[in-house]
Amino acid sequence: MAHTAPTPGTAGSAGQGDLNPWAASGIVFAGVLLLVDGVLGVIKGISGIATDDVYAHVRNYTFKFDVTSWGWIHLVLGIVLAVVGWGILKGAEWARATGVVLAAISVIINFVWLPYQPIWAIISIAIDVFVIWALCTESSKAVI
C-alpha cells in the first residue's frame, strides 16, 4: 500500500493546525448529543412535572426528591444542555468548557436519579461521558 504525502491545507498535513477529521466528528457528535440529551431532559422534566405516576416511586432512598422536583431539575438542565450543544456546534468559545462542566453535572444528577428510571439514566450517563471525552480531546474552535 503506497503512502502519499498530504498536500498543504489538507487535514493530514502536520503542523498546519488543521482540524483532525476524527476529532471534528467527535466534536460535532458531542454537540449533537448535548442537544439530544437536552431534549431528553426536557421530555423527562415535562413528564415529571405533568404527572407523578410516570416514574417509579422510590422509598427509603437517600436522595429522594418529589417527582415534580426531579421534573424541574431535568427541565432546567435539559434547556441549558441544549443551548450549550448549539453553542458547541456554532464554535462558541464559552460552550466547550461549559459543555464539559454541564455534562459532568448531568452525570451526577442522572446517577442520583438512577432508581427512578434506570434505563434512561444509564443512557444519559453514557451520552454525557462521551461528550466529556469528545470535548476534552480536540482543541479546535468552530466545527460548522
Side-chain angles (χ1 to χ4, degrees), residues 56-137:
H57 291 281
V58 179
R59 299 180 195 273
N60 300 328
Y61 182 54
T62 304
F63 302 108
K64 184 178 180 184
F65 286 101
D66 180 63
V67 176
T68 304
S69 299
W70 276 117
W72 282 107
I73 290 168
H74 283 291
L75 179 65
V76 170
L77 182 62
I79 292 168
V80 175
L81 284 173
V83 169
V84 171
W86 182 253
I88 288 169
L89 292 175
K90 297 304 281 179
E93 292 184 27
W94 58 267
R96 300 271 306 260
T98 306
V100 172
V101 170
L102 285 176
I105 290 169
S106 182
V107 166
I108 294 165
I109 287 174
N110 280 294
F111 179 77
V112 173
W113 187 62
L114 197 63
Y116 295 90
Q117 280 290 325
I119 301 298
W120 282 113
I122 290 170
I123 289 170
S124 291
I125 289 169
I127 289 171
D128 292 328
V129 167
F130 177 81
V131 166
I132 292 168
W133 171 82
L135 294 177
C136 290
T137 55

Side-chain angles (χ1 to χ4, degrees), residues 23-46:
S25 298
I27 294 168
V28 170
F29 194 48
V32 170
L33 281 178
L34 274 178
L35 279 168
V36 169
D37 200 23
V39 170
L40 287 175
V42 168
I43 292 169
K44 289 186 280 190
I46 291 171

